[in-house]
Amino acid sequence: MPELPEVEVSRQGLLPHLSGQTIVGTVVRTPRLRHEIPVGLDSRLSGLQVDAILRRGKYLLLDCASKRGGGWLLIHLGMSGSLRLVPPATPAQKHDHVDLVFKNTVMRLRDPRRFGALLWHEGAEVGAHPALAALGIEPLSDAFSGDWLHAATRGRRMPVKPLLMDSRLVVGIGNIYAAESLFRAGISPLRGAGRISLQRYRILTGAIRSTLEASIAAGGSTVRDYVHSDGGAGCFQLACAVYDRRGQPCPVCMTPIRTTRQAGRSTFYCPTCQR
DNA sequence: CGTTACCCCTGGAGGC
DNA sequence: TGCCTCCAGGGGTAAC
């Protein structure tokens, strides 16, 4: 999936095509995603206009709230989801589960593993939706600083890497960007989060920000099946220093990249550069 | 409370 | 070629 940069790139790709457009229909071929898509979604959405597209963590938020009976469409891409814009009446392929139909284009959700979600929130207050209510800080916001993260991790014994991936603390950082950011900051993923200094957290938050921003600027990484919202492959793959590079030389010191498992996820790091 | 384990699902890679 | 096992960018819930 789609970590934060891929979702943000999808948002930026969709926005100019969908902003101000009216939904003329919805096709649900597979209602059983992570959450069952409710029957009757089509009649609820038809006639509504997409006024804006926002992002909160890894959720895309389509603002369709301006008319009576309106609300917000929340889309999560899970591990394997992608959105693309296709011409009307384009035949659906395998795993194309949902279409949002507009006059001149169709927004198509494809998700082989079906860990993604499409949720509807009636009314204007999208922040009240249960999926969003408990989410943590945005890593690209001004408030996300070394001082903030240092304070938020006092007393936490959990290793820093799985804690960075906890969306209740900070959103959008998945397995790849956690690994790459910790490498750039020279911090071991195994280190207890409560035992990292303020100085090092300042470096880490800067590394997270620059890694995410570089990936967004480059159009999102394309590690496996990420597809741009216009249907083309992402134009740039973030050159990973450690992720998925087990046994290969660290780009800085040539030490073989080591791998382990944390909280059920693969972790990659340089045992020399990261302490 | 904090933390880990498991599960949801399909497909690709690699071993035999 | 086929069959098997393992692994994958997320996240929610149950259990320790």
Side-chain angles (χ1 to χ4, degrees):
Chain A
M1 165 178 164
E3 301 191 26
L4 185 152
E6 289 78 8
V7 178
E8 177 61 23
V9 169
S10 292
R11 188 191 73 80
Q12 293 176 10
L14 294 168
L15 186 58
H17 295 98
L18 301 188
S19 182
Q21 298 296 305
T22 297
I23 299 168
V24 299
T26 308
V27 179
V28 179
R29 300 182 193 83
T30 317
R32 293 201 52 164
L33 304 182
R34 167 170 288 286
H35 304 281
E36 180 106 14
I37 296 174
V39 179
L41 184 71
D42 179 51
S43 59
R44 222 173 311 181
L45 294 183
S46 289
L48 297 180
Q49 178 177 306
V50 177
D51 297 310
I53 306 178
L54 310 183
R55 180 190 56 76
R56 177 77 174 97
K58 296 172 186 168
Y59 284 89
L60 276 179
L61 312 175
L62 274 62
D63 179 357
C64 310
S66 62
K67 292 186 179 175
R68 189 144 45 86
W72 292 75
L73 204 53
L74 286 64
I75 300 173
H76 196 292
L77 298 176
M79 292 265 273
S80 58
S82 61
L83 291 167
R84 65 197 69 198
L85 294 171
V86 298
T90 302
Q93 298 179 34
K94 201 174 183 184
H95 307 304
D96 286 343
H97 303 312
V98 182
D99 286 353
L100 208 57
V101 184
F102 300 86
K103 185 179 176 187
N104 295 316
T105 191
V106 172
M107 188 191 79
R108 180 160 284 173
L109 171 64
R110 177 177 298 177
D111 185 5
R113 291 178 72 180
R114 289 193 274 128
F115 287 175
L118 190 145
L119 306 167
W120 174 246
H121 180 78
E122 189 157 336
E125 304 301 320
V126 69
H129 192 281
L132 306 180
L135 290 181
I137 193 169
E138 286 284 340
L140 297 180
S141 67
D142 290 340
F144 183 69
S145 65
D147 295 64
W148 184 90
L149 191 55
H150 181 260
T153 51
R154 291 312 86 190
R156 300 299 298 266
R157 303 179 68 174
M158 187 190 272
V160 61
K161 191 235 179 188
L163 200 62
L164 283 182
M165 295 174 65
D166 185 346
S167 63
R168 292 167 300 184
L169 181 72
V170 50
V171 296
I173 303 173
N175 208 26
I176 293 178
Y177 293 102
E180 293 301 309
S181 299
L182 285 166
F183 173 77
R184 290 185 179 201
I187 297 172
S188 167
L190 310 175
R191 183 165 291 276
R195 295 183 52 252
I196 296 173
S197 69
L198 171 59
Q199 178 64 24
R200 301 185 82 204
Y201 268 124
R202 287 179 174 153
I203 295 169
L204 177 58
T205 49
I208 290 168
R209 191 184 306 271
S210 65
T211 306
L212 294 175
E213 284 177 347
S215 188
I216 291 168
S221 66
T222 53
V223 172
R224 282 200 176 80
D225 48 333
Y226 169 70
V227 179
H228 232 268
S229 59
D230 64 5
C235 56
F236 171 79
Q237 178 170 340
L238 186 73
C240 289
V242 290
Y243 179 79
D244 205 20
R245 295 192 68 238
R246 165 169 41 176
Q248 297 177 53
C250 167
V252 172
C253 74
M254 305 299 278
T255 301
I257 298 303
R258 198 169 288 177
T259 185
T260 185
R261 275 189 101 69
Q262 291 181 286
R265 311 296 295 276
S266 290
T267 290
F268 301 87
Y269 64 104
C270 172
T272 302
C273 295
Q274 295 176 254
R275 295 291 173 173

